[in-house]
Amino acid sequence: MDLKDLNSMQFDVFRELGNIGAGNAVTALSKLTNLRIDMAVPTVSFLEFNEIAEKVGGADKDIAGILINLSGDIEGMMMYILSTKATRSLVNLMMGSFTTTALNEDIENYSDIELSALKEVGNIISGAYLSSLSALTNLTIITSVPYLSIDMAGAVLSVPAIEFGKISDKALLIDTEFGTSDNSVNGYFVLIPSLDSYGVILKSLGL
Amino acid sequence: MEKIIKVGMADLNVCIAPDAITTLGLGSCVGIVLYDKIKKIGGLAHIMLPDSSKIMNNSNKAKFADTGIDTLINDMKKIGAKEDNLIAKIAGGAQMFEFSSNSDMLRIGIRNVEATKFKLKELGIRIVAEDTGKNYGRTITFYPKTGELHIKSMGKDIIIV
């Protein structure tokens, strides 16, 4: 199926899938951190690769990206992107009294256990996102272990861009911004299905 | 006044001193700088994939190492650069995630660098500086006026090559 063939109703379907997935993920994150976390209405867009990084604040902005590869009935990637400040506050929340690192401390100063905790957060909330998608569509979605990279947005996002760049100049991006009112924990969920997966998803929903 | 020209992902552009040219957040992609020292003309390509001939959808020339370099040389010639004068500086090709299984994705940075070197060698363009591989992103800015390539990474000092 070609990207150009998607009509506005199908766009709405992807937006709704993003809404349900992110809703579950935000609920999981909220339970985990005991924080009130709000989310925006997801946006669905076909983006050129250089526009993807602009979405999360620019190619040279420092971020933490947790990436999960998807396989099974659909293929693609799920990314969970956090600002550096949010990364630190999330780690501190997860580690409780075990860590005393200040929020403004050097981003690279994470211990192995802190990095592991961060990946686990990614695992839990992506799991919530994807299992709701899986339940809705009745499709089997197999996830990889979470991979973490803390670096410039352009560099981190070059990985999905290259993967999807093999078949297309654009990628379908379902992204949802979330955050607490004081911005201590905020970020994006980004779901990028492969070209072949659009049709599979739509078909599973009878569209 | 001098400006800094921005090059996006899968994109390329040229500039003449005193202007400079930059690309932000190179990950597994490779930034290829070509430089005509005599004419003070610089060109920068931000390539994503090694080889256009192995990909069906290859209309965007700047996406690939092979066609990206060819196009960049052509564009530089159009503004007065001479192919014989050209030297190259390359950066990028990092491995951003520690993938454990998928070997294709694991090696994409390295393969981009290899393809870039292969193409440059084929054309007889000497690589005078290189900062590639490792596991971090790079923002690079090239100044044709001095021939300096500034490489900035998160939490690291600027490298000038």
Coordinates of all heavy atoms in Angstrom, one line a residue, chain A residues 49-50 59-60 62 65-67 69 77 79 107-108 145 147-152 154-159 161-163 165-169, chain B residues 8-9 24-29 48-49 55 57 59-60 63 96-100 104-105 108 112 135-139 152-156:
Chain A
F49 N 12.5 12.9 6.6 CA 13.4 12.5 7.7 C 13.9 13.7 8.5 O 14.0 13.7 9.7 CB 14.5 11.7 7.2 CG 14.0 10.5 6.6 CD1 14.3 10.2 5.2 CD2 13.3 9.6 7.3 CE1 13.8 9.1 4.6 CE2 12.8 8.4 6.7 CZ 13.1 8.2 5.4
N50 N 14.3 14.8 7.7 CA 14.8 16.0 8.5 C 13.7 16.7 9.3 O 14.1 17.5 10.1 CB 15.6 16.9 7.6 CG 14.8 17.3 6.3 OD1 13.6 17.0 6.3 ND2 15.4 17.8 5.4
A59 N 17.3 19.1 15.7 CA 18.2 18.0 15.5 C 19.4 18.0 16.5 O 19.9 17.0 16.9 CB 18.8 18.0 14.1
D60 N 19.7 19.2 17.1 CA 20.9 19.2 18.0 C 20.4 19.3 19.5 O 21.2 19.5 20.3 CB 21.8 20.4 17.6 CG 21.1 21.7 17.7 OD1 19.9 21.7 17.7 OD2 21.8 22.7 17.7
D62 N 19.5 17.9 23.0 CA 19.9 16.7 23.7 C 18.6 16.0 24.3 O 17.8 16.6 24.9 CB 20.8 17.0 24.9 CG 22.1 17.5 24.4 OD1 22.4 17.3 23.3 OD2 22.8 18.2 25.2
G65 N 16.4 8.7 24.1 CA 15.5 8.0 23.3 C 15.6 6.5 23.6 O 16.7 5.9 23.7
I66 N 14.4 5.9 23.9 CA 14.3 4.5 24.2 C 13.6 3.8 23.0 O 12.5 4.2 22.6 CB 13.6 4.2 25.5 CG1 14.4 4.8 26.7 CG2 13.4 2.7 25.7 CD1 13.6 4.9 27.9
L67 N 14.3 2.9 22.4 CA 13.8 2.4 21.1 C 13.5 0.9 21.3 O 14.2 0.1 21.9 CB 14.9 2.6 20.0 CG 14.5 2.0 18.6 CD1 15.1 3.0 17.6 CD2 15.1 0.7 18.4
N69 N 12.1 -2.4 18.9 CA 11.8 -2.9 17.6 C 10.6 -3.8 17.6 O 10.4 -4.5 18.6 CB 13.0 -3.8 17.0 CG 14.0 -2.9 16.4 OD1 13.8 -2.0 15.7 ND2 15.3 -3.2 16.8
M77 N 8.9 0.5 14.5 CA 9.7 0.8 15.7 C 8.8 1.7 16.6 O 8.0 2.5 16.1 CB 10.9 1.7 15.3 CG 12.0 0.8 14.7 SD 13.4 1.9 14.4 CE 14.6 0.7 13.7
M79 N 9.3 4.5 19.7 CA 10.3 5.2 20.4 C 9.6 6.1 21.5 O 8.5 6.5 21.3 CB 11.1 6.2 19.5 CG 12.3 5.4 18.9 SD 13.4 6.6 18.1 CE 14.5 6.9 19.5
I107 N 24.3 15.1 32.2 CA 23.5 14.1 31.7 C 24.1 12.7 31.5 O 23.5 11.7 31.6 CB 22.9 14.6 30.3 CG1 21.9 13.6 29.7 CG2 24.0 14.9 29.3 CD1 20.6 13.6 30.4
E108 N 25.4 12.7 31.3 CA 26.1 11.5 31.0 C 26.5 10.7 32.3 O 26.9 9.6 32.2 CB 27.4 11.7 30.2 CG 27.1 12.2 28.8 CD 28.3 12.1 27.9 OE1 29.1 13.0 28.0 OE2 28.4 11.2 27.2
V145 N 14.0 -6.1 23.2 CA 14.4 -5.5 24.5 C 14.5 -4.0 24.2 O 14.7 -3.6 23.1 CB 15.7 -6.1 25.0 CG1 15.5 -7.5 25.4 CG2 16.8 -5.9 24.1
Y147 N 16.3 -0.4 23.9 CA 17.6 0.1 23.6 C 17.6 1.6 24.0 O 16.6 2.3 23.7 CB 18.0 -0.1 22.2 CG 18.0 -1.5 21.7 CD1 17.0 -2.0 20.9 CD2 19.1 -2.4 22.1 CE1 17.0 -3.3 20.5 CE2 19.1 -3.7 21.7 CZ 18.0 -4.1 20.9 OH 18.0 -5.4 20.4
L148 N 18.6 2.0 24.6 CA 18.7 3.4 25.1 C 19.8 4.2 24.5 O 20.9 3.7 24.4 CB 18.8 3.4 26.6 CG 19.0 4.8 27.3 CD1 17.8 5.6 27.2 CD2 19.4 4.6 28.7
S149 N 19.5 5.4 24.1 CA 20.6 6.3 23.6 C 20.3 7.7 24.1 O 19.2 8.2 23.9 CB 20.7 6.3 22.1 OG 21.6 7.2 21.7
I150 N 21.3 8.3 24.8 CA 21.1 9.7 25.3 C 22.1 10.5 24.4 O 23.3 10.5 24.6 CB 21.4 9.8 26.8 CG1 20.5 8.9 27.6 CG2 21.3 11.3 27.2 CD1 20.9 8.8 29.1
D151 N 21.5 11.3 23.5 CA 22.3 12.1 22.6 C 21.5 13.1 21.9 O 20.4 13.4 22.3 CB 22.9 11.1 21.6 CG 24.3 11.6 21.1 OD1 24.4 12.7 20.6 OD2 25.3 10.8 21.2
M152 N 22.0 13.7 20.8 CA 21.3 14.7 20.0 C 20.1 14.1 19.3 O 20.3 12.9 18.8 CB 22.2 15.4 19.1 CG 23.2 16.3 19.7 SD 24.4 17.0 18.5 CE 25.6 15.8 18.4
G154 N 18.7 14.5 16.5 CA 19.0 14.1 15.1 C 19.7 12.7 15.0 O 19.4 11.9 14.2
A155 N 20.7 12.6 15.9 CA 21.5 11.4 15.9 C 20.7 10.2 16.3 O 20.8 9.1 15.7 CB 22.7 11.6 16.8
V156 N 19.9 10.3 17.4 CA 19.1 9.2 17.9 C 18.1 8.8 16.8 O 17.9 7.7 16.5 CB 18.4 9.6 19.2 CG1 17.4 8.5 19.6 CG2 19.5 9.9 20.3
L157 N 17.4 9.8 16.2 CA 16.4 9.6 15.2 C 16.9 9.1 13.9 O 16.2 8.7 13.0 CB 15.5 10.8 15.1 CG 14.6 11.0 16.3 CD1 14.0 12.4 16.3 CD2 13.5 10.0 16.4
S158 N 18.2 9.2 13.7 CA 18.8 8.8 12.4 C 18.6 7.2 12.3 O 18.6 6.7 11.2 CB 20.3 9.1 12.3 OG 21.1 8.3 13.2
V159 N 18.5 6.6 13.4 CA 18.4 5.1 13.4 C 17.0 4.7 12.8 O 17.1 3.9 11.8 CB 18.6 4.5 14.8 CG1 18.3 3.0 14.8 CG2 20.0 4.8 15.3
A161 N 15.2 6.6 11.0 CA 15.2 7.2 9.7 C 15.9 6.4 8.6 O 15.4 6.2 7.5 CB 15.8 8.6 9.8
I162 N 17.0 5.8 9.0 CA 17.8 5.0 8.1 C 17.0 3.7 7.8 O 16.9 3.3 6.6 CB 19.2 4.6 8.7 CG1 20.1 5.9 8.6 CG2 19.8 3.5 7.9 CD1 21.4 5.7 9.3
E163 N 16.4 3.1 8.8 CA 15.7 1.9 8.7 C 14.5 2.0 7.7 O 14.3 1.2 6.8 CB 15.2 1.4 10.0 CG 14.6 0.0 10.1 CD 15.6 -1.1 9.6 OE1 16.8 -0.9 9.5 OE2 15.0 -2.1 9.1
G165 N 14.2 4.6 5.7 CA 14.7 5.3 4.5 C 15.0 4.4 3.3 O 15.1 4.8 2.2
K166 N 15.2 3.1 3.7 CA 15.5 2.1 2.6 C 14.3 2.0 1.7 O 14.5 1.7 0.5 CB 15.8 0.8 3.3 CG 17.1 0.7 4.0 CD 17.2 -0.6 4.7 CE 18.4 -0.6 5.7 NZ 18.3 -1.7 6.6
I167 N 13.1 2.2 2.2 CA 11.9 1.9 1.3 C 11.2 3.2 1.0 O 10.4 3.2 0.1 CB 11.0 0.9 1.9 CG1 10.8 1.2 3.4 CG2 11.5 -0.5 1.7 CD1 9.7 0.4 4.1
S168 N 11.4 4.3 1.7 CA 10.6 5.5 1.5 C 11.4 6.7 1.8 O 12.4 6.7 2.6 CB 9.4 5.3 2.3 OG 8.7 6.6 2.3
D169 N 10.9 7.9 1.3 CA 11.5 9.1 1.7 C 10.8 9.8 2.8 O 11.2 10.8 3.4 CB 11.5 10.1 0.5 CG 12.6 9.8 -0.5 OD1 13.7 9.3 0.0 OD2 12.4 9.9 -1.7
Chain B
G8 N 20.2 19.4 6.0 CA 19.4 18.4 6.7 C 19.8 17.0 6.4 O 20.7 16.8 5.7
M9 N 19.0 16.1 7.0 CA 19.3 14.7 6.8 C 18.9 14.3 5.3 O 17.9 14.8 4.8 CB 18.4 13.8 7.7 CG 18.9 12.4 7.9 SD 17.8 11.6 9.1 CE 18.4 12.2 10.7
L24 N 23.3 19.2 11.7 CA 23.2 19.0 13.1 C 22.8 17.5 13.4 O 22.1 16.9 12.6 CB 22.0 19.8 13.6 CG 22.0 21.3 13.3 CD1 20.7 22.0 13.8 CD2 23.2 22.0 13.9
G25 N 23.4 17.0 14.4 CA 23.0 15.7 14.9 C 23.2 14.5 14.0 O 22.3 13.8 13.6
L26 N 24.5 14.4 13.5 CA 24.8 13.2 12.7 C 24.8 12.0 13.6 O 25.5 12.0 14.6 CB 26.2 13.3 12.1 CG 26.4 14.1 10.8 CD1 27.9 14.3 10.7 CD2 25.9 13.4 9.6
G27 N 24.1 10.9 13.3 CA 24.1 9.7 14.1 C 24.9 8.7 13.3 O 26.1 8.7 13.1
S28 N 24.1 7.7 12.8 CA 24.7 6.7 11.9 C 24.9 7.2 10.5 O 25.6 6.5 9.7 CB 23.8 5.4 11.9 OG 23.6 4.9 13.2
C29 N 24.4 8.3 10.2 CA 24.6 9.0 8.9 C 26.0 9.4 8.9 O 26.7 9.6 9.9 CB 23.7 10.2 8.7 SG 21.9 9.8 8.9
M48 N 22.6 9.0 4.3 CA 21.9 8.0 5.3 C 22.3 6.6 5.0 O 22.3 5.8 5.9 CB 20.4 8.2 5.2 CG 19.8 9.4 5.7 SD 18.1 9.5 5.3 CE 17.4 8.1 6.2
L49 N 22.5 6.3 3.7 CA 22.6 4.9 3.3 C 23.8 4.7 2.4 O 24.2 5.6 1.7 CB 21.4 4.4 2.6 CG 20.1 4.2 3.5 CD1 18.9 4.2 2.6 CD2 20.2 2.9 4.3
I55 N 18.8 -0.2 -3.5 CA 17.6 0.3 -3.0 C 16.7 0.6 -4.2 O 17.1 1.3 -5.1 CB 17.8 1.5 -2.1 CG1 18.9 1.3 -1.1 CG2 16.5 2.1 -1.6 CD1 18.4 0.7 0.2
N57 N 13.9 2.6 -4.1 CA 13.5 4.0 -4.1 C 14.7 4.9 -3.9 O 15.1 5.2 -2.8 CB 12.5 4.3 -2.9 CG 12.0 5.7 -2.9 OD1 12.5 6.6 -3.6 ND2 10.9 5.9 -2.1
S59 N 15.5 7.9 -5.7 CA 15.4 9.2 -6.4 C 16.1 10.3 -5.7 O 16.6 11.3 -6.3 CB 13.9 9.6 -6.7 OG 13.2 9.6 -5.4
N60 N 16.1 10.3 -4.4 CA 16.8 11.3 -3.6 C 18.3 11.0 -3.6 O 18.8 10.2 -2.8 CB 16.3 11.4 -2.2 CG 17.0 12.5 -1.4 OD1 17.9 13.2 -1.9 ND2 16.6 12.7 -0.2
K63 N 20.7 11.0 -0.4 CA 20.5 10.0 0.6 C 21.6 9.0 0.7 O 21.8 8.3 1.7 CB 19.1 9.3 0.3 CG 18.5 8.6 1.5 CD 17.0 8.6 1.3 CE 16.5 7.2 0.8 NZ 15.1 7.1 0.7
M96 N 24.4 4.3 17.4 CA 23.6 5.0 18.4 C 23.1 4.1 19.5 O 22.9 4.4 20.7 CB 22.5 5.8 17.8 CG 23.0 6.9 16.9 SD 24.3 7.9 17.6 CE 23.5 8.6 19.0
F97 N 22.6 2.9 19.1 CA 22.0 1.9 20.1 C 22.9 0.7 20.1 O 23.4 0.2 19.1 CB 20.6 1.6 19.7 CG 19.7 2.7 19.8 CD1 19.4 3.5 18.7 CD2 19.0 3.0 21.0 CE1 18.5 4.6 18.8 CE2 18.1 4.1 21.1 CZ 17.9 4.9 20.0
E98 N 23.0 0.0 21.2 CA 23.7 -1.2 21.3 C 22.8 -2.4 21.0 O 22.4 -3.2 21.8 CB 24.3 -1.4 22.7 CG 25.4 -0.5 23.1 CD 25.8 -0.6 24.5 OE1 25.6 -1.7 25.1 OE2 26.3 0.4 25.0
F99 N 22.5 -2.5 19.7 CA 21.6 -3.6 19.3 C 22.3 -4.9 19.5 O 23.5 -5.1 19.2 CB 21.3 -3.5 17.8 CG 20.4 -2.3 17.5 CD1 20.8 -1.3 16.7 CD2 19.1 -2.2 18.1 CE1 20.0 -0.2 16.4 CE2 18.3 -1.1 17.9 CZ 18.7 -0.1 17.0
S100 N 21.6 -5.9 19.9 CA 22.2 -7.2 20.2 C 22.1 -8.2 19.0 O 22.9 -9.0 18.8 CB 21.6 -7.8 21.5 OG 20.2 -7.7 21.4
D104 N 22.2 -6.1 10.5 CA 22.1 -5.1 9.4 C 22.0 -3.7 10.0 O 22.7 -2.8 9.6 CB 20.8 -5.4 8.6 CG 20.8 -4.7 7.3 OD1 21.9 -4.5 6.8 OD2 19.7 -4.3 6.8
M105 N 21.2 -3.6 11.1 CA 21.1 -2.3 11.7 C 22.3 -2.0 12.6 O 22.7 -0.8 12.7 CB 19.8 -2.3 12.6 CG 18.6 -1.8 11.9 SD 17.1 -2.3 12.8 CE 17.3 -1.3 14.3
I108 N 25.1 -0.4 10.2 CA 24.8 0.6 9.2 C 25.8 1.8 9.3 O 26.2 2.3 8.2 CB 23.3 1.1 9.3 CG1 23.0 1.9 8.1 CG2 23.0 1.8 10.6 CD1 22.9 1.2 6.8
N112 N 28.1 2.8 6.1 CA 28.1 4.2 5.5 C 29.5 4.7 5.4 O 29.8 5.3 4.4 CB 27.2 5.1 6.4 CG 25.7 5.0 6.1 OD1 25.4 4.5 5.0 ND2 24.9 5.3 7.1
N135 N 30.0 5.8 19.6 CA 28.6 5.6 19.9 C 27.9 6.9 20.2 O 26.9 6.9 21.0 CB 28.4 4.6 21.0 CG 29.1 5.1 22.3 OD1 29.8 6.1 22.3 ND2 28.8 4.5 23.4
Y136 N 28.4 8.0 19.6 CA 27.7 9.3 19.9 C 27.5 10.1 18.7 O 28.2 9.9 17.7 CB 28.5 10.1 21.0 CG 30.0 10.3 20.6 CD1 30.4 11.3 19.7 CD2 31.0 9.4 21.1 CE1 31.7 11.4 19.4 CE2 32.3 9.6 20.8 CZ 32.7 10.6 19.9 OH 34.0 10.7 19.6
G137 N 26.5 11.0 18.8 CA 26.2 11.9 17.7 C 27.1 13.1 17.5 O 27.9 13.4 18.5
R138 N 27.1 13.7 16.4 CA 28.1 14.8 16.1 C 27.3 15.9 15.3 O 26.6 15.6 14.4 CB 29.2 14.3 15.2 CG 30.1 13.2 15.9 CD 31.0 12.6 14.8 NE 32.0 11.7 15.4 CZ 31.8 10.4 15.6 NH1 30.6 9.8 15.2 NH2 32.7 9.6 16.1
T139 N 27.6 17.1 15.7 CA 27.2 18.3 14.9 C 28.4 18.9 14.3 O 29.4 19.1 15.0 CB 26.5 19.3 15.8 OG1 25.2 18.8 16.1 CG2 26.3 20.7 15.1
K152 N 31.2 18.9 17.2 CA 30.7 19.0 18.5 C 29.8 17.8 18.9 O 29.0 17.4 18.1 CB 29.8 20.3 18.5 CG 29.7 20.9 19.9 CD 29.0 22.3 19.8 CE 27.5 22.1 19.6 NZ 26.8 23.4 19.4
S153 N 30.1 17.3 20.1 CA 29.3 16.2 20.6 C 28.8 16.5 22.0 O 29.4 17.3 22.7 CB 30.1 14.9 20.6 OG 30.5 14.5 19.3
M154 N 27.7 15.8 22.4 CA 27.2 16.1 23.7 C 28.2 15.8 24.8 O 28.7 14.7 24.9 CB 25.9 15.2 23.9 CG 25.0 15.8 24.9 SD 23.5 14.8 25.0 CE 24.0 13.6 26.2
G155 N 28.4 16.7 25.7 CA 29.2 16.5 26.8 C 30.7 16.4 26.5 O 31.5 15.9 27.3
K156 N 31.1 16.8 25.3 CA 32.5 16.7 24.9 C 33.0 18.1 24.4 O 32.2 18.9 24.0 CB 32.7 15.7 23.8 CG 32.4 14.3 24.3 CD 32.8 13.2 23.2 CE 32.6 11.8 23.8 NZ 31.2 11.6 24.1

